[in-house]
Amino acid sequence: MIALDMSDGLWTITLNRPDKANSLTPDMLEELCEITARHDLPNALILTGAGRVFSAGADLEAARAGLATSPLWDRLSGQIAELPCLTIAALNGTLAGGAFGMALACDMRLAVPGAKFFYPVMKLGFLPQPSDPARLVALIGPARAKMILMAGTKIDAEEALRWGLIDRIAAPETLTEDARALAADACAAAPAHVAAIKRRVAPK
């Protein structure tokens, strides 16, 4: 349910459970954690989904069994945030719930025009993953973060772009191509140079 393409010096990780809106199971999160913990990562990595939804968040049955509060979510987003390579979330559709974390941890976010963005933790009685609120605030500010996390606001791609939640809107048919174009300079550079620039943009 996780596909990994390692061609052309650029890795593309695809959530591949389109029949279930790419909702995430414990096994999928474990596999994502394993991939992002590897030491042979390229200079750039794209995270995307199959079908018309990026991810609906946690699989419902798994969430009821405890996945909604699993530390795997924060482990994954933390690993993505710490990667020395350029990371791009190519959001092929709606981003919801716990899936926010991995997208927020990426360096850039592209989304198709029909994408929706919502994180219904207030309604469902869960807390957001520990690192998600701070990353959300860093992108869109505290009031808008509260609109999403506390007021249950659902926004579309145009509003997400205005808020700064995403960086660009891309047509569905060119989403992957646009993400690859953004990764091209990093892929052509030395790994140490990519890591050094990333450290200067976001010093620890």
Side-chain angles (χ1 to χ4, degrees), residues 137-154:
V137 167
L139 290 173
I140 66 176
R144 285 171 171 170
K146 290 172 185 172
M147 287 179 69
I148 289 175
L149 295 173
M150 301 185 73
T153 301
K154 181 185 290 189

Side-chain angles (χ1 to χ4, degrees), residues 22-41:
N22 292 324
S23 58
L24 293 149
T25 66
D27 287 345
M28 291 171 73
L29 286 175
E30 288 277 11
E31 187 170 353
L32 290 167
C33 287
E34 288 173 7
I35 293 171
T36 54
R38 290 176 60 156
H39 297 293
D40 59 341
L41 287 162

Side-chain angles (χ1 to χ4, degrees), residues 39-112:
H39 297 293
D40 59 341
L41 287 162
N43 287 1
L45 183 153
I46 295 170
L47 179 62
T48 192
R52 301 180 64 180
V53 175
F54 174 73
S55 177
D59 175 84
L60 287 178
E61 289 186 14
R64 295 188 191 104
L67 183 61
T69 57
S70 169
L72 284 172
W73 300 97
D74 220 49
R75 175 183 161 195
L76 174 60
S77 60
Q79 288 180 189
I80 292 172
E82 292 291 327
L83 290 175
C85 61
L86 177 66
T87 54
I88 302 170
L91 304 170
N92 55 296
T94 292
L95 170 66
F100 252 81
M102 65 183 82
L104 292 172
C106 287
D107 299 313
M108 304 173 190
R109 282 154 296 281
L110 311 182
V112 297

Side-chain angles (χ1 to χ4, degrees), residues 95-97 100 116-123 136 140 143-156 159 163 165:
L95 170 66
F100 252 81
K116 305 291 183 185
F117 301 83
F118 58 102
Y119 199 151
V121 282
M122 184 68 79
K123 179 179 180 180
L136 195 56
I140 66 176
R144 285 171 171 170
K146 290 172 185 172
M147 287 179 69
I148 289 175
L149 295 173
M150 301 185 73
T153 301
K154 181 185 290 189
I155 63 173
D156 60 20
E159 192 162 24
W163 284 14
L165 181 59

